[in-house]
Amino acid sequence: MTIIYRCQLELHDSLYFATREIGRLYETEPAIHNYALCYALGLVDSLIYSTTVAEEDSYRYFCPEQVPKYEQHLTPLNKQGIYLTPARAINYSAVLNTWKYANNNYHVEMEKTQKNIPSFGRAKEIAPESQFEFFLIAQKQLKLPKWIRLGKWMSKAELIVEELPKPKTHEGLFTCTHPLNPLDVMFTNQVISYDVVNMPPVSLIQNVQMRGQYYQFDGSKELKIPVRMEYRFGS
């Protein structure tokens, strides 16, 4: 039995991660990748959700190297029938913070005096009280945490979960306005047109017109979610 949850995040701190770098500006896109959400919600390498991984890929206690292991970490979610969509902003504002630092030398040799020019940059962050929405697809009832942390600063966010009515499955041409991970849908649906949201490690797509199977809900003709989404990875 397929269960779909509508999940809403409300930020209690400013959210920062460098989606793009434009000179000295580091900008945060008002979207959250589904890979990041899996880690933030504690779904990866979890005894609770039966998604444990091999010891050499362990994520629960200590990461010996800062090398992403998305395939090793997220494949167990496929086996449990757990899938998260990326999150879109439904209400947000941005704040711009400037940072700077100087080069402090505690030991200097006798040489010509040089100008002390601070290095600086700007970070565009998503402001507190901004709200995001994403969907969780599961094959059994799941209990998620009420509070999570996101981004470079481990920003605090509140999670509100609503179980949607039992979905009905349809097939044909449809449009999904919610952002999607293209790798997760392109093998089970015919993707026709879309807008790109540039975001590493895999750019997202939104306003996607596609042909295939999709979920729809009573009382909500606008919301259409592709069927058979799962985590897939490029070679």
Side-chain angles (χ1 to χ4, degrees):
M1 180 181 67
T2 299
I3 302 170
I4 301 181
Y5 298 95
R6 186 198 304 268
C7 303
Q8 183 174 301
L9 282 174
E10 181 171 337
L11 301 182
H12 284 237
D13 297 312
S14 61
L15 174 64
Y16 168 71
F17 50 86
T19 308
R20 64 176 66 88
E21 300 178 12
I22 308 171
R24 293 181 182 268
L25 174 64
Y26 301 86
E27 186 172 359
T28 304
E29 183 75 28
I32 305 174
H33 207 287
N34 59 341
Y35 292 177
L37 288 171
C38 287
Y39 289 95
L41 268 65
L43 298 177
V44 172
D45 197 13
S46 168
L47 290 171
I48 296 174
Y49 303 109
S50 302
T51 58
T52 53
V53 300
E55 185 176 352
E56 61 268 22
D57 300 323
S58 178
Y59 183 78
R60 268 179 286 164
Y61 305 112
F62 173 69
C63 294
E65 55 184 357
Q66 296 299 314
V67 178
K69 295 186 175 182
Y70 300 125
E71 185 169 1
Q72 295 91 327
H73 289 165
L74 300 180
T75 298
L77 274 70
N78 289 340
K79 296 178 181 178
Q80 295 300 320
I82 300 172
Y83 184 82
L84 291 177
T85 69
R88 68 183 179 101
I90 55 177
N91 175 32
Y92 84 98
S93 58
V95 292
L96 192 62
N97 293 321
T98 300
W99 49 266
K100 58 184 177 180
Y101 62 88
N103 183 19
N104 294 320
N105 293 321
Y106 295 95
H107 173 77
V108 295
E109 297 179 359
M110 296 299 293
E111 56 184 19
K112 292 183 179 180
T113 303
Q114 297 180 354
K115 292 183 179 179
N116 182 17
I117 303 176
S119 180
F120 70 93
R122 293 180 176 178
K124 186 178 180 181
E125 304 176 4
I126 307 299
E129 299 186 4
S130 297
Q131 296 174 319
F132 292 83
E133 179 186 66
F134 64 96
F135 297 93
L136 167 62
I137 303 169
Q139 302 307 311
K140 60 183 179 180
Q141 295 280 347
L142 297 180
K143 186 175 181 180
L144 298 174
K146 181 175 175 57
W147 299 95
I148 65 172
R149 293 190 176 273
L150 290 163
K152 294 291 187 182
W153 310 146
M154 296 298 285
S155 306
K156 188 176 181 180
E158 182 179 5
L159 178 64
I160 301 170
V161 180
E162 171 197 2
E163 183 176 340
L164 295 176
K166 185 178 179 180
K168 295 181 179 179
T169 303
H170 301 270
E171 186 167 357
L173 185 67
F174 69 100
T175 299
C176 179
T177 57
H178 198 86
L180 301 172
N181 185 324
L183 290 179
D184 302 343
V185 298
M186 64 188 296
F187 296 100
T188 52
N189 296 270
Q190 180 188 359
V191 177
I192 299 171
S193 64
Y194 52 85
D195 298 326
V196 177
V197 181
N198 290 314
M199 179 177 290
V202 179
S203 290
L204 307 178
I205 54 177
Q206 63 183 3
N207 300 319
V208 186
Q209 187 181 52
M210 65 179 76
R211 186 182 301 276
Q213 290 187 326
Y214 61 92
Y215 295 118
Q216 197 167 15
F217 307 87
D218 289 337
S220 179
K221 294 182 180 180
E222 298 292 329
L223 178 58
K224 298 176 182 178
I225 301 175
V227 176
R228 299 198 306 271
M229 286 190 293
E230 65 177 16
Y231 299 102
R232 294 179 182 267
F233 310 93
S235 57

Coordinates of all heavy atoms in Angstrom, one line a residue, residues 170-232:
H170 N -3.2 7.3 -12.2 CA -3.6 7.6 -13.6 C -2.4 7.4 -14.5 O -1.3 7.4 -14.1 CB -4.2 9.0 -13.7 CG -5.4 9.2 -12.8 ND1 -6.7 8.9 -13.1 CD2 -5.5 9.7 -11.5 CE1 -7.5 9.2 -12.2 NE2 -6.8 9.7 -11.1
E171 N -2.7 7.4 -15.8 CA -1.6 7.3 -16.8 C -2.0 8.2 -18.0 O -3.1 8.3 -18.4 CB -1.4 5.9 -17.3 CG -0.2 5.7 -18.2 CD 0.1 4.3 -18.4 OE1 -0.5 3.4 -17.8 OE2 1.1 4.1 -19.2
G172 N -0.9 8.9 -18.5 CA -1.1 9.8 -19.6 C -0.2 11.0 -19.5 O 0.9 11.0 -18.9
L173 N -0.5 12.0 -20.3 CA 0.3 13.3 -20.3 C -0.1 14.1 -19.1 O -1.3 14.4 -18.9 CB 0.0 14.0 -21.6 CG 0.9 15.3 -21.8 CD1 2.4 14.9 -22.0 CD2 0.4 16.0 -23.0
F174 N 0.9 14.6 -18.3 CA 0.6 15.4 -17.1 C 1.8 16.4 -16.9 O 2.8 16.2 -17.4 CB 0.3 14.5 -15.9 CG 1.5 13.8 -15.4 CD1 2.2 14.3 -14.3 CD2 2.0 12.6 -16.0 CE1 3.3 13.6 -13.8 CE2 3.1 11.9 -15.5 CZ 3.7 12.4 -14.4
T175 N 1.5 17.3 -16.0 CA 2.5 18.3 -15.6 C 2.7 18.3 -14.1 O 1.7 18.3 -13.3 CB 2.1 19.7 -16.0 OG1 2.0 19.8 -17.4 CG2 3.2 20.8 -15.6
C176 N 3.9 18.1 -13.7 CA 4.3 18.2 -12.3 C 5.0 19.5 -12.0 O 6.1 19.7 -12.5 CB 5.2 17.0 -11.9 SG 5.7 17.0 -10.1
T177 N 4.4 20.4 -11.2 CA 5.0 21.7 -10.9 C 6.0 21.6 -9.8 O 6.8 22.5 -9.7 CB 3.9 22.7 -10.5 OG1 3.1 22.2 -9.4 CG2 2.9 22.9 -11.7
H178 N 6.0 20.5 -9.0 CA 6.9 20.4 -7.9 C 8.3 20.0 -8.5 O 8.4 19.3 -9.5 CB 6.4 19.3 -7.0 CG 7.0 19.3 -5.6 ND1 6.6 20.1 -4.6 CD2 8.1 18.7 -5.2 CE1 7.3 20.0 -3.6 NE2 8.3 19.1 -3.9
P179 N 9.4 20.4 -7.9 CA 10.7 20.1 -8.4 C 11.0 18.6 -8.2 O 10.5 17.9 -7.3 CB 11.7 20.9 -7.5 CG 10.9 21.3 -6.3 CD 9.5 21.4 -6.7
L180 N 11.7 18.0 -9.2 CA 12.0 16.6 -9.2 C 13.5 16.4 -9.5 O 14.2 17.3 -10.1 CB 11.2 15.9 -10.3 CG 9.7 16.0 -10.3 CD1 9.1 15.4 -11.6 CD2 9.2 15.3 -9.1
N181 N 14.0 15.3 -9.1 CA 15.4 14.9 -9.5 C 15.3 14.1 -10.8 O 14.6 13.1 -10.9 CB 15.9 14.0 -8.4 CG 17.4 13.6 -8.6 OD1 17.8 13.4 -9.8 ND2 18.1 13.5 -7.6
P182 N 15.8 14.7 -11.9 CA 15.7 14.0 -13.2 C 16.1 12.6 -13.3 O 15.5 11.8 -14.0 CB 16.5 14.9 -14.2 CG 17.4 15.6 -13.3 CD 16.7 15.8 -12.0
L183 N 17.2 12.2 -12.6 CA 17.7 10.9 -12.6 C 16.6 9.9 -12.1 O 16.6 8.7 -12.5 CB 19.0 10.7 -11.8 CG 20.2 11.4 -12.4 CD1 21.4 11.2 -11.5 CD2 20.6 10.8 -13.8
D184 N 15.8 10.4 -11.2 CA 14.9 9.5 -10.5 C 13.6 9.3 -11.3 O 12.8 8.4 -10.9 CB 14.5 10.1 -9.1 CG 15.7 10.3 -8.2 OD1 16.8 9.7 -8.5 OD2 15.7 11.0 -7.2
V185 N 13.3 10.1 -12.3 CA 12.1 9.9 -13.1 C 12.3 9.6 -14.5 O 11.4 9.1 -15.2 CB 11.2 11.2 -13.0 CG1 10.8 11.5 -11.5 CG2 11.9 12.4 -13.6
M186 N 13.4 9.9 -15.1 CA 13.6 9.8 -16.5 C 13.6 8.3 -17.1 O 13.4 8.1 -18.2 CB 14.9 10.5 -16.9 CG 16.2 9.8 -16.4 SD 17.7 10.8 -16.7 CE 17.8 10.8 -18.5
F187 N 13.8 7.4 -16.2 CA 13.8 6.0 -16.6 C 12.4 5.3 -16.6 O 12.2 4.2 -17.1 CB 14.8 5.1 -15.8 CG 16.2 5.6 -16.0 CD1 16.8 6.4 -15.0 CD2 17.0 5.2 -17.1 CE1 18.2 6.8 -15.2 CE2 18.3 5.6 -17.3 CZ 18.9 6.4 -16.3
T188 N 11.5 6.0 -15.9 CA 10.1 5.4 -15.8 C 9.1 6.3 -16.4 O 7.9 5.9 -16.4 CB 9.8 5.2 -14.3 OG1 10.0 6.4 -13.5 CG2 10.7 4.1 -13.7
N189 N 9.5 7.5 -16.8 CA 8.5 8.4 -17.5 C 9.2 9.0 -18.7 O 10.4 9.2 -18.7 CB 8.1 9.5 -16.5 CG 7.3 9.0 -15.3 OD1 6.1 8.9 -15.3 ND2 8.0 8.6 -14.2
Q190 N 8.4 9.4 -19.6 CA 8.9 10.2 -20.8 C 8.8 11.6 -20.5 O 7.8 12.3 -20.5 CB 8.0 9.9 -22.0 CG 8.5 10.6 -23.3 CD 7.5 10.4 -24.4 OE1 6.5 9.8 -24.3 NE2 7.9 11.1 -25.6
V191 N 10.0 12.2 -20.2 CA 10.1 13.6 -19.9 C 10.1 14.5 -21.2 O 10.9 14.2 -22.0 CB 11.4 13.9 -19.0 CG1 11.5 15.4 -18.8 CG2 11.3 13.1 -17.7
I192 N 9.2 15.4 -21.3 CA 9.0 16.1 -22.5 C 9.6 17.6 -22.4 O 10.4 18.0 -23.3 CB 7.5 16.2 -22.9 CG1 7.0 14.8 -23.1 CG2 7.3 17.1 -24.2 CD1 5.5 14.7 -23.3
S193 N 9.3 18.3 -21.4 CA 9.8 19.7 -21.2 C 9.9 20.0 -19.8 O 9.2 19.4 -18.9 CB 8.9 20.7 -22.0 OG 7.6 20.7 -21.4
Y194 N 10.7 21.0 -19.4 CA 11.0 21.3 -18.0 C 11.8 22.6 -17.9 O 12.4 23.0 -18.9 CB 11.7 20.1 -17.3 CG 13.0 19.7 -18.0 CD1 14.2 20.4 -17.8 CD2 13.0 18.7 -18.9 CE1 15.3 20.0 -18.5 CE2 14.1 18.3 -19.6 CZ 15.3 18.9 -19.4 OH 16.4 18.6 -20.1
D195 N 11.8 23.1 -16.7 CA 12.7 24.2 -16.3 C 13.8 23.6 -15.4 O 13.5 22.8 -14.6 CB 12.0 25.3 -15.6 CG 10.9 25.9 -16.4 OD1 11.1 26.0 -17.7 OD2 9.8 26.3 -15.9
V196 N 15.0 24.1 -15.5 CA 16.1 23.6 -14.8 C 16.4 24.5 -13.5 O 16.4 25.7 -13.6 CB 17.4 23.5 -15.6 CG1 18.6 23.1 -14.8 CG2 17.2 22.6 -16.8
V197 N 16.6 23.8 -12.4 CA 17.1 24.5 -11.2 C 18.5 24.0 -11.0 O 18.7 22.9 -10.6 CB 16.2 24.1 -10.0 CG1 16.7 24.8 -8.7 CG2 14.7 24.4 -10.3
N198 N 19.5 24.9 -11.2 CA 20.9 24.5 -11.1 C 21.2 24.3 -9.7 O 21.1 25.2 -8.8 CB 21.8 25.6 -11.7 CG 21.7 25.6 -13.2 OD1 21.7 24.6 -13.9 ND2 21.5 26.8 -13.8
M199 N 21.6 23.1 -9.4 CA 22.0 22.7 -8.0 C 22.8 21.4 -7.9 O 22.4 20.4 -8.5 CB 20.7 22.5 -7.2 CG 20.9 22.1 -5.7 SD 19.3 22.0 -4.8 CE 18.9 23.7 -4.7
P200 N 24.0 21.5 -7.3 CA 24.8 20.2 -7.2 C 24.2 19.3 -6.1 O 23.5 19.8 -5.2 CB 26.2 20.8 -6.8 CG 25.9 22.1 -6.1 CD 24.7 22.6 -6.8
P201 N 24.4 18.0 -6.2 CA 25.2 17.3 -7.2 C 24.5 17.0 -8.5 O 25.1 16.6 -9.5 CB 25.6 16.0 -6.4 CG 24.5 15.8 -5.5 CD 24.0 17.1 -5.1
V202 N 23.1 17.0 -8.4 CA 22.3 16.8 -9.6 C 21.3 17.9 -9.8 O 20.5 18.1 -8.9 CB 21.6 15.5 -9.5 CG1 20.7 15.2 -10.8 CG2 22.5 14.3 -9.3
S203 N 21.4 18.7 -10.8 CA 20.4 19.8 -11.0 C 19.0 19.3 -11.1 O 18.7 18.2 -11.6 CB 20.7 20.6 -12.3 OG 21.9 21.3 -12.2
L204 N 18.1 20.0 -10.5 CA 16.7 19.6 -10.4 C 15.9 20.2 -11.6 O 16.4 21.0 -12.3 CB 16.1 20.1 -9.1 CG 16.8 19.7 -7.8 CD1 16.1 20.3 -6.6 CD2 16.9 18.2 -7.7
I205 N 14.7 19.6 -11.8 CA 13.8 20.1 -12.8 C 12.5 20.4 -12.2 O 12.1 19.8 -11.2 CB 13.7 19.1 -14.0 CG1 13.3 17.7 -13.5 CG2 15.0 19.0 -14.8 CD1 13.0 16.7 -14.6
Q206 N 11.8 21.4 -12.8 CA 10.4 21.7 -12.3 C 9.5 22.1 -13.4 O 10.0 22.3 -14.6 CB 10.5 22.8 -11.2 CG 11.0 24.1 -11.7 CD 11.1 25.2 -10.6 OE1 10.9 24.9 -9.5 NE2 11.5 26.4 -11.0
N207 N 8.2 22.3 -13.2 CA 7.2 22.5 -14.2 C 7.5 21.5 -15.3 O 7.5 21.8 -16.5 CB 7.4 23.9 -14.8 CG 7.1 25.0 -13.7 OD1 6.2 24.8 -12.9 ND2 7.9 26.0 -13.7
V208 N 7.5 20.2 -14.9 CA 7.9 19.2 -15.8 C 6.6 18.6 -16.5 O 5.7 18.2 -15.9 CB 8.6 18.0 -15.1 CG1 9.1 17.0 -16.1 CG2 9.7 18.6 -14.2
Q209 N 6.6 18.6 -17.8 CA 5.6 18.0 -18.6 C 6.1 16.6 -19.0 O 7.2 16.5 -19.6 CB 5.2 18.8 -19.9 CG 4.0 18.2 -20.6 CD 3.7 18.9 -21.9 OE1 4.5 19.2 -22.7 NE2 2.4 19.3 -22.0
M210 N 5.4 15.6 -18.7 CA 5.8 14.2 -18.9 C 4.7 13.3 -19.2 O 3.5 13.6 -19.0 CB 6.7 13.7 -17.8 CG 5.9 13.5 -16.5 SD 6.9 12.9 -15.1 CE 7.8 14.3 -14.7
R211 N 5.0 12.1 -19.7 CA 4.0 11.1 -20.0 C 4.4 9.8 -19.2 O 5.5 9.4 -19.2 CB 4.0 10.8 -21.5 CG 2.8 9.8 -21.9 CD 2.9 9.5 -23.4 NE 2.8 10.7 -24.2 CZ 1.6 11.3 -24.5 NH1 0.5 10.7 -24.1 NH2 1.6 12.4 -25.3
G212 N 3.4 9.3 -18.5 CA 3.6 8.1 -17.7 C 2.5 8.0 -16.6 O 1.5 8.6 -16.7
Q213 N 2.8 7.2 -15.6 CA 1.9 7.1 -14.5 C 2.1 8.1 -13.5 O 3.2 8.5 -13.2 CB 2.0 5.7 -13.9 CG 1.5 4.5 -14.8 CD 1.5 3.2 -14.0 OE1 2.4 2.9 -13.2 NE2 0.6 2.3 -14.4
Y214 N 1.0 8.6 -12.8 CA 1.1 9.6 -11.8 C 0.0 9.4 -10.7 O -1.0 8.8 -11.0 CB 1.0 11.0 -12.4 CG -0.3 11.3 -13.1 CD1 -1.3 11.9 -12.4 CD2 -0.4 11.0 -14.5 CE1 -2.5 12.2 -13.1 CE2 -1.6 11.3 -15.1 CZ -2.6 11.9 -14.5 OH -3.8 12.2 -15.1
Y215 N 0.3 9.9 -9.5 CA -0.6 9.9 -8.4 C -1.4 11.2 -8.4 O -0.9 12.2 -8.7 CB 0.1 9.8 -7.1 CG 0.9 8.5 -6.8 CD1 2.2 8.5 -6.6 CD2 0.2 7.3 -6.8 CE1 3.0 7.3 -6.4 CE2 0.9 6.1 -6.5 CZ 2.3 6.1 -6.4 OH 3.0 5.0 -6.1
Q216 N -2.7 11.0 -8.1 CA -3.6 12.2 -8.0 C -4.5 12.0 -6.8 O -4.7 10.8 -6.4 CB -4.4 12.4 -9.2 CG -5.0 13.8 -9.3 CD -5.6 14.2 -10.7 OE1 -5.7 13.3 -11.5 NE2 -5.8 15.4 -10.9
F217 N -5.0 13.0 -6.2 CA -5.7 12.9 -4.9 C -7.1 13.6 -5.0 O -7.2 14.6 -5.7 CB -4.9 13.6 -3.8 CG -3.5 13.1 -3.7 CD1 -2.5 13.7 -4.4 CD2 -3.2 12.0 -2.8 CE1 -1.2 13.2 -4.4 CE2 -1.9 11.5 -2.8 CZ -0.9 12.1 -3.5
D218 N -8.0 13.0 -4.3 CA -9.4 13.6 -4.3 C -9.3 15.0 -3.7 O -8.7 15.3 -2.7 CB -10.3 12.8 -3.5 CG -10.7 11.5 -4.2 OD1 -10.6 11.4 -5.4 OD2 -11.0 10.5 -3.5
G219 N -9.9 16.0 -4.3 CA -9.9 17.4 -3.8 C -8.7 18.2 -4.2 O -8.6 19.3 -3.8
S220 N -7.8 17.6 -5.0 CA -6.6 18.3 -5.4 C -6.2 17.9 -6.8 O -5.4 17.0 -7.0 CB -5.4 18.1 -4.5 OG -4.3 18.8 -4.9
K221 N -6.8 18.6 -7.8 CA -6.5 18.3 -9.2 C -5.2 18.8 -9.7 O -4.6 18.3 -10.6 CB -7.6 18.9 -10.1 CG -9.0 18.3 -9.9 CD -10.0 18.9 -10.8 CE -11.4 18.2 -10.6 NZ -12.4 18.8 -11.5
E222 N -4.6 19.8 -8.9 CA -3.4 20.4 -9.3 C -2.2 19.5 -9.0 O -1.2 19.4 -9.7 CB -3.2 21.7 -8.7 CG -4.2 22.8 -9.0 CD -4.1 23.2 -10.5 OE1 -3.0 23.2 -11.0 OE2 -5.2 23.5 -11.1
L223 N -2.3 18.8 -7.9 CA -1.1 18.0 -7.4 C -1.1 16.7 -8.1 O -1.9 15.8 -8.0 CB -1.3 17.8 -5.9 CG -0.2 16.9 -5.2 CD1 1.2 17.6 -5.5 CD2 -0.4 16.8 -3.7
K224 N 0.0 16.5 -8.8 CA 0.3 15.2 -9.6 C 1.7 14.8 -9.3 O 2.7 15.6 -9.6 CB 0.0 15.4 -11.1 CG -1.5 15.7 -11.4 CD -1.7 16.0 -12.8 CE -3.2 16.4 -13.1 NZ -3.4 16.7 -14.5
I225 N 1.9 13.6 -8.8 CA 3.3 13.1 -8.5 C 3.6 11.9 -9.3 O 2.8 10.9 -9.3 CB 3.3 12.8 -7.0 CG1 3.0 14.0 -6.1 CG2 4.7 12.3 -6.6 CD1 2.9 13.8 -4.7
P226 N 4.7 11.8 -10.0 CA 5.0 10.7 -10.8 C 5.1 9.4 -9.9 O 5.5 9.4 -8.8 CB 6.4 11.0 -11.3 CG 6.5 12.5 -11.3 CD 5.7 12.9 -10.1
V227 N 4.7 8.3 -10.5 CA 4.8 7.0 -9.9 C 6.2 6.3 -10.2 O 6.8 6.7 -11.1 CB 3.7 6.1 -10.4 CG1 3.7 4.6 -9.9 CG2 2.3 6.7 -10.1
R228 N 6.6 5.4 -9.3 CA 7.8 4.6 -9.5 C 9.1 5.5 -9.5 O 10.0 5.2 -10.2 CB 7.7 3.8 -10.8 CG 6.6 2.8 -10.8 CD 6.8 1.7 -11.8 NE 7.1 2.2 -13.2 CZ 6.2 2.5 -14.1 NH1 4.9 2.3 -13.7 NH2 6.5 3.0 -15.3
M229 N 9.1 6.5 -8.7 CA 10.3 7.2 -8.5 C 11.2 6.5 -7.5 O 10.7 6.0 -6.5 CB 10.0 8.6 -8.0 CG 9.5 9.6 -9.0 SD 9.4 11.3 -8.4 CE 8.2 11.2 -7.2
E230 N 12.5 6.4 -7.8 CA 13.5 5.8 -6.8 C 14.8 6.5 -7.1 O 15.0 7.1 -8.2 CB 13.5 4.3 -7.0 CG 14.0 3.8 -8.3 CD 14.2 2.3 -8.3 OE1 13.6 1.6 -7.4 OE2 14.9 1.8 -9.2
Y231 N 15.7 6.3 -6.2 CA 17.0 7.0 -6.3 C 17.9 6.2 -7.4 O 18.1 5.0 -7.3 CB 17.8 7.0 -5.0 CG 17.0 7.8 -4.0 CD1 16.2 7.1 -3.0 CD2 17.0 9.2 -4.0 CE1 15.5 7.9 -2.1 CE2 16.3 9.9 -3.1 CZ 15.5 9.2 -2.1 OH 14.8 10.0 -1.2
R232 N 18.3 6.9 -8.4 CA 19.2 6.4 -9.4 C 20.4 7.3 -9.5 O 20.4 8.5 -9.2 CB 18.5 6.3 -10.7 CG 17.3 5.3 -10.7 CD 16.6 5.3 -12.1 NE 15.5 4.4 -12.1 CZ 15.5 3.1 -12.5 NH1 16.7 2.6 -12.9 NH2 14.4 2.4 -12.5

